[in-house]
Amino acid sequence: MSIQDTRDRTTRRAYADAPTRPATIKAAAALAVLAAVATLANAVVALTDGKSLLHGMATDAVNQVTGGQSAGLDLGSLIDDAVNQEYGTLQARAYVGIVLALGYLALFRPIARGARKLRIVATLLAAVAVVMAAIDVRDQTPGLLHVFDVAELACAVLMVVALWLPSSNAYVASDKGRRSRG
């Protein structure tokens, strides 16, 4: 018997002993991708169309307060200044969102494999995302961005729940034991 035959037999035995990946792990990996998509969509909209969305919101707010009558005042420059200031905040949040989305995407494969330590990293990333999304949802930002924030929030929370369900815990524990034997 050759060394290659022994390796092939060992590899086949390892795959035969491997536990099947539970649906909770598959769901958590899919939710990580969905959270990344929602976060990236939020960032893209904020960076490409955020200023016009904010300008529309500010103009509507001024018209609501003044009843459409600005009493001969030129509020355009005041609105532009307020929009520019708020757009800076929106941009910063969009850049943080891009980093979060890249984090979700980087965790996809380790989550799908059931990596034990990266479940903790995914939980911490989701905690940051939940705080960011909660702040964004509470703020006066365009409604379309709220939709993406809520989608990201839901995906992040469901991902963490799926990662820590008993079937996921059992899979991660059995996978750890299989790795230490081989």
Side-chain angles (χ1 to χ4, degrees):
M1 180 181 318
S2 72
I3 294 174
Q4 185 62 36
D5 291 338
T6 305
R7 285 184 191 155
D8 289 345
R9 195 170 341 130
T10 303
T11 302
R12 273 185 265 136
R13 191 176 315 127
Y15 282 121
D17 294 343
T20 56
R21 186 176 300 135
T24 54
I25 292 289
K26 293 175 187 176
L31 286 164
V33 172
L34 290 175
V37 168
T39 306
L40 282 175
N42 188 332
V44 167
V45 169
L47 292 173
T48 59
D49 203 28
K51 193 173 267 193
S52 65
L53 291 171
L54 289 171
H55 197 278
M57 284 179 61
T59 304
D60 290 346
V62 167
N63 287 338
Q64 186 178 13
V65 169
T66 63
Q69 306 293 326
S70 58
L73 298 174
D74 182 22
L75 299 176
S77 63
L78 182 63
I79 290 174
D80 289 342
D81 289 343
V83 165
N84 287 334
Q85 184 176 2
E86 183 60 29
Y87 184 63
T89 303
L90 202 58
Q91 280 181 311
R93 289 180 183 176
Y95 294 134
V96 170
I98 291 170
V99 171
L100 286 173
L102 292 174
Y104 285 128
L105 292 176
L107 289 171
F108 168 73
R109 286 190 55 112
I111 287 173
R113 285 192 323 247
R116 178 182 219 118
K117 291 178 183 171
L118 290 177
R119 284 193 314 166
I120 297 166
V121 172
T123 302
L124 294 173
L125 180 72
V128 170
V130 165
V131 169
M132 289 291 299
I135 290 170
D136 287 348
V137 166
R138 191 178 49 94
D139 278 355
Q140 293 289 328
T141 55
L144 181 59
L145 298 180
H146 286 288
V147 171
F148 294 130
D149 286 329
V150 169
E152 177 195 3
L153 185 65
C155 289
V157 168
L158 290 173
M159 175 189 72
V160 169
V161 169
L163 282 173
W164 294 99
L165 285 173
S167 59
S168 297
N169 289 336
Y171 176 74
V172 170
S174 68
D175 193 47
K176 180 184 177 214
R178 186 173 48 89
R179 285 187 197 159
S180 66
R181 280 181 266 147

